[in-house]
Amino acid sequence: MAQTEINDISVDSSLVDPEKDLLGNANFAKYLADSICKMTFPEGFVIAVYGSWNSGKSTLLNFVVHYLQQKPEEEKPIIVPFNPWLFSAHQNITRRFFDQLKNVLSQQSSVPKGLKERLADFAAIISDIPLPYAQTGKALAALLDEKDKEAAELKEEVEDTLVQQQRRIVVTIDDIDRLPAEDIKQLFRIFKAMRNFTNLVYLLVFDKEVVIKKIADTKEISEEAYLEKIIQVSFELPIVDKTSLRRLLFEKLDNNIFAETPKQQINQSRWGDIYFQGIEHFITNIRDITRLINTLTVTYPVVKDEVNPVDFIAIESLRVFCPKIYSIIHQNPHIFVGEVNLSIDELKNLLNTWIAQLRDEDKQPVKNLLIHLFPKLKFILGNISLDEKQELEWREQLRVCSLEIFPIYFRLSLSAGELSNIQIKIILGLVENPEKFGNYLIELAKQKLPNGITKARVFIEQLENSTEEIPVNYIPSVVEALFDVSEQLLCQDDESHSILAFSNEVIISRCISQLLRQINETSRFELLKKVITQGKALSIINHEIAILKEQHSQYATDQSNYEEKWLVNAQHLKELEEMTTTI
């Protein structure tokens, strides 16, 4: 892959050259630059361009500066760039502003002598006057009045000096919306203090809504009026249309990610379906593009030439915009690839449960992406038959739906040691039907995490800590299912070498006990009678009886509290023991 400079892809990246404009802002920037140079005004002038974060306002500012710098020498203004965010909380912004102003002006031969010194004196006084100072003590207020008088005198001297020079001064300021409220007010105080300075233009770009919220404690006037007193002319950046966003995304994909990818690897038909029916829904602004490109910049190099580019963009789009679905795909490969192990109805229920977790507007685009990526889902949702020969084609095309290729797509994905809350809810959504619930547990028992622990073991351990979340009327079904499948679960040995690690038998038994405590004693007894009569999971049954006997022995001296400590009373325990001897 061609080397990419970090400034080209970072969250705060912005373009500098108008020839690379893909959002249609270059013409506006050119005309604004022309206006700044040609307009006539008797005193300082403040222009603002409003736009949300990552709307392209910084790029627009760069374009304006570019066009200003292209002006003939006799028309070219002196440009003073100032980014207050770089200095906030580190030093006085007012002083830093004047330092930047005098440093730039001092390098210009056309600027009259003495201006640098006058600006330094003016800056020192302005910086010492706190904001606000209406409620300060009388002595301090008197001192500040003197400061104001001194500042006014120096201001006149600076103004007289500026009048002597002919070139216009353009101060460009970005990222005002990143500042805390007091710093924003300091900047606005500078604009007000220097309003009468001839040939001085401020060009500001910021998120108006953010700034208004931050200065919302301005008591004397409304926030809108507050801005109007400072800013003479303002423009709103239009919302970028889908076509421009698409053009920008594709250029960044071409230049930054797939510069060395052969064109024949991109199936245009599939790419069109996947983009327009799924990915485009999530690309709503420049920030969305930046997030996706940043992610691909990190994840693609390690799988280059081992994955299908179209499938990889789609999978990484889910990682960025729908991380819940991405995690589900990663942790449930048997659902999406390989043979169909569950019934069509069961798979439909699972898929619908997953999709139900999403925002309404995201459901159909995600569903479209899943169907295009995993043909197995077409079989489930559309009753479309699958050709076994297609698996070989998917393998050759490096598709994510190939069982062999699937893991490559998730090399930079951390393996979760626990099941997500969504997965737990999905599994518990099956408890109405003990058979389905048990079959799903068996499927989980076949899947091992990198540490050798099965997902069934992880689920049961987490279930023990959340038994109170299960409706009481479903508990008998859950307990019955655990008994039914416990023998098969016990056959799936978890690879733990610790002498202190609990066996699967202990974990299952503890979970059953926790569940039984959620129902009354009579129901517990009847449920245990039922599973013993069925004769399944003898080892778990014997383990449960042993635990019950231990409980009775431990609290035998205080039988008044047996209802709180025992799962079943003494008579019921005796009956259960007699039943186990006949099995």
Side-chain angles (χ1 to χ4, degrees):
M1 183 178 69
Q3 186 176 1
T4 302
E5 293 185 10
I6 193 67
N7 286 338
D8 291 335
I9 58 173
S10 66
V11 171
D12 293 321
S13 65
S14 54
L15 299 177
V16 175
D17 186 356
E19 291 187 2
K20 296 182 179 180
D21 176 41
L22 295 175
L23 302 180
N25 292 329
N27 283 338
F28 173 82
K30 183 179 185 304
Y31 291 130
L32 182 57
D34 290 343
S35 296
I36 289 174
C37 293
K38 295 179 180 180
M39 68 183 192
T40 57
F41 53 92
E43 54 189 26
F45 205 84
V46 182
I47 301 172
V49 178
Y50 301 137
S52 60
W53 187 42
N54 263 249
S55 63
K57 59 184 183 298
S58 295
T59 291
L60 176 67
L61 181 62
N62 291 341
F63 288 173
V64 173
V65 170
H66 172 87
Y67 286 120
L68 290 174
Q69 292 172 334
Q70 301 303 310
K71 295 293 181 183
E73 285 300 320
E74 66 276 8
E75 191 178 348
K76 183 188 299 183
I78 299 171
I79 301 173
V80 182
F82 182 64
N83 192 330
W85 180 70
L86 296 177
F87 309 102
S88 177
H90 295 288
Q91 52 186 292
N92 185 290
I93 286 182
T94 303
R95 187 178 297 277
R96 183 64 185 89
F97 170 82
F98 281 102
D99 285 345
Q100 176 72 353
L101 180 61
K102 68 184 181 183
N103 286 341
V104 173
L105 295 182
S106 64
Q107 298 174 23
Q108 305 293 324
S109 58
S110 61
V111 175
K113 294 180 180 180
L115 179 58
K116 178 178 178 179
E117 289 74 17
R118 288 182 175 86
L119 280 174
D121 294 338
F122 184 64
I125 294 176
I126 294 294
S127 301
D128 289 340
I129 301 177
L131 177 73
Y133 59 86
Q135 296 181 354
T136 55
K138 292 183 179 180
L140 180 58
L143 176 62
L144 293 173
D145 286 341
E146 291 299 320
K147 288 279 187 182
D148 279 339
K149 292 177 183 177
E150 188 177 357
E153 294 173 359
L154 276 170
K155 180 180 176 183
E156 290 183 9
E157 292 183 27
V158 173
E159 166 63 12
D160 292 340
T161 309
L162 281 173
V163 169
Q164 301 174 31
Q165 68 98 22
Q166 301 300 316
R167 293 178 65 187
R168 185 150 293 174
I169 300 171
V170 178
V171 180
T172 63
I173 305 181
D174 196 359
D175 291 329
I176 293 177
D177 41 47
R178 293 191 181 191
L179 298 172
E182 290 306 313
D183 288 348
I184 292 174
K185 292 176 182 177
Q186 276 195 44
L187 271 180
F188 287 166
R189 181 176 64 173
I190 294 174
F191 306 152
K192 293 173 68 175
M194 298 181 67
R195 173 162 294 176
N196 296 327
F197 286 10
T198 301
N199 268 340
L200 183 62
V201 179
Y202 295 97
L203 178 56
L204 322 175
V205 294
F206 59 89
D207 187 326
K208 179 181 178 182
E209 297 304 318
V210 172
V211 168
I212 283 179
K213 288 180 181 178
K214 288 187 176 183
I215 63 173
D217 61 344
T218 303
K219 302 294 192 301
E220 61 273 14
I221 55 176
S222 70
E223 293 82 16
E224 289 278 357
Y226 183 82
L227 286 181
E228 289 174 2
K229 291 186 66 174
I230 296 167
I231 296 166
Q232 279 74 55
V233 176
S234 63
F235 302 93
E236 289 275 0
L237 267 181
I239 297 175
V240 184
D241 63 89
K242 285 281 189 180
T243 302
S244 297
L245 287 173
R246 186 192 318 144
R247 191 181 302 119
L248 178 61
L249 172 63
F250 288 5
E251 182 182 81
K252 287 184 174 290
L253 287 172
D254 286 342
N255 296 335
N256 298 334
I257 310 300
F258 301 109
E260 299 177 5
T261 300
K263 194 171 184 179
Q264 59 268 24
Q265 289 189 17
I266 307 296
N267 184 314
Q268 285 290 317
S269 179
R270 277 196 76 239
W271 171 234
D273 290 339
I274 284 176
Y275 182 80
F276 287 110
Q277 296 180 32
I279 296 174
E280 186 176 60
H281 167 77
F282 299 103
I283 305 299
T284 61
N285 54 47
I286 298 175
R287 181 171 180 266
D288 294 332
I289 294 175
T290 303
R291 291 173 62 199
L292 181 56
I293 295 297
N294 284 351
T295 299
L296 287 167
T297 300
V298 175
T299 58
Y300 184 66
V302 296
V303 297
K304 179 188 173 185
D305 300 327
E306 298 183 74
V307 296
N308 183 288
V310 171
D311 282 21
F312 195 75
I313 296 172
I315 287 292
E316 292 302 285
S317 295
L318 289 173
R319 182 206 290 265
V320 173
F321 303 115
C322 281
K324 292 180 179 179
I325 295 296
Y326 175 87
S327 178
I328 287 171
I329 296 171
H330 177 212
Q331 297 182 26
N332 296 275
H334 66 292
I335 298 295
F336 296 92
V337 297
E339 297 180 359
V340 179
N341 296 319
L342 299 179
S343 71
I344 292 178
D345 288 340
E346 289 171 326
L347 289 172
K348 278 185 178 179
N349 288 337
L350 282 175
L351 184 62
N352 290 333
T353 304
W354 290 331
I355 298 297
Q357 308 296 324
L358 303 174
R359 299 182 307 171
D360 288 342
E361 60 268 31
D362 294 340
K363 290 177 180 178
Q364 191 58 51
V366 169
K367 196 172 182 179
N368 293 341
L369 282 176
L370 293 178
I371 290 174
H372 283 301
L373 289 171
F374 303 103
K376 181 177 176 180
L377 298 185
K378 292 183 181 179
F379 168 69
I380 296 169
L381 299 175
N383 295 321
I384 298 175
S385 60
L386 296 178
D387 186 350
E388 294 182 1
K389 295 180 180 179
Q390 288 182 301
E391 174 64 32
L392 180 59
E393 294 179 6
W394 299 333
R395 170 66 183 83
E396 292 175 350
Q397 296 168 2
L398 306 179
R399 295 270 301 276
V400 68
C401 56
S402 167
L403 185 60
E404 185 177 349
I405 300 297
F406 181 90
I408 300 175
Y409 282 76
F410 300 93
R411 279 186 181 162
L412 277 180
S413 298
L414 294 173
S415 297
E418 293 187 351
L419 301 177
S420 67
N421 289 334
I422 294 176
Q423 288 176 295
I424 296 295
K425 289 179 180 179
I426 290 169
I427 299 169
L428 293 180
L430 303 173
V431 298
E432 299 177 43
N433 188 314
E435 183 179 356
K436 288 184 178 180
F437 179 68
N439 288 339
Y440 196 80
L441 288 185
I442 293 174
E443 286 295 322
L444 290 179
K446 298 175 183 178
Q447 303 172 47
K448 287 195 175 184
L449 298 172
N451 58 8
I453 302 297
T454 65
K455 288 189 176 181
R457 163 74 176 251
V458 173
F459 167 72
I460 294 172
E461 287 182 324
Q462 291 180 247
L463 179 62
E464 181 185 348
N465 298 323
S466 57
T467 53
E468 294 182 359
E469 299 179 12
I470 301 176
V472 174
N473 57 315
Y474 289 156
I475 286 178
S477 296
V478 177
V479 171
E480 193 173 344
L482 287 173
F483 272 108
D484 286 345
V485 304
S486 60
E487 291 291 351
Q488 290 161 287
L489 296 179
L490 292 174
C491 291
Q492 302 291 331
D493 293 331
D494 286 312
E495 299 170 5
S496 175
H497 302 290
S498 171
I499 61 173
L500 298 177
F502 296 115
S503 67
N504 282 343
E505 185 179 70
V506 171
I507 294 298
I508 295 172
S509 182
R510 282 181 55 84
C511 185
I512 289 174
S513 295
Q514 284 292 97
L515 288 165
L516 289 175
R517 290 193 181 279
Q518 306 303 314
I519 58 180
N520 61 56
E521 196 272 344
T522 302
S523 298
R524 297 173 199 163
F525 171 64
E526 293 298 330
L527 182 56
L528 290 172
K529 274 178 56 177
K530 180 178 179 180
V531 297
I532 291 175
T533 302
Q534 291 173 343
K536 297 180 180 180
L538 294 181
S539 61
I540 295 295
I541 290 173
N542 290 330
H543 195 274
E544 280 297 314
I545 295 297
I547 290 176
L548 295 174
K549 292 173 66 175
E550 184 178 343
Q551 289 175 349
H552 278 251
S553 174
Q554 183 177 358
Y555 299 104
T557 58
D558 187 13
Q559 294 192 11
S560 60
N561 291 327
Y562 81 87
E563 290 184 355
E564 297 179 6
K565 307 297 183 182
W566 298 348
L567 283 174
V568 295
N569 61 40
Q571 179 58 39
H572 286 161
L573 174 57
K574 183 178 179 181
E575 291 184 40
L576 293 176
E577 283 187 277
E578 292 175 352
M579 290 179 65
T580 57
T581 59
T582 62
I583 297 176

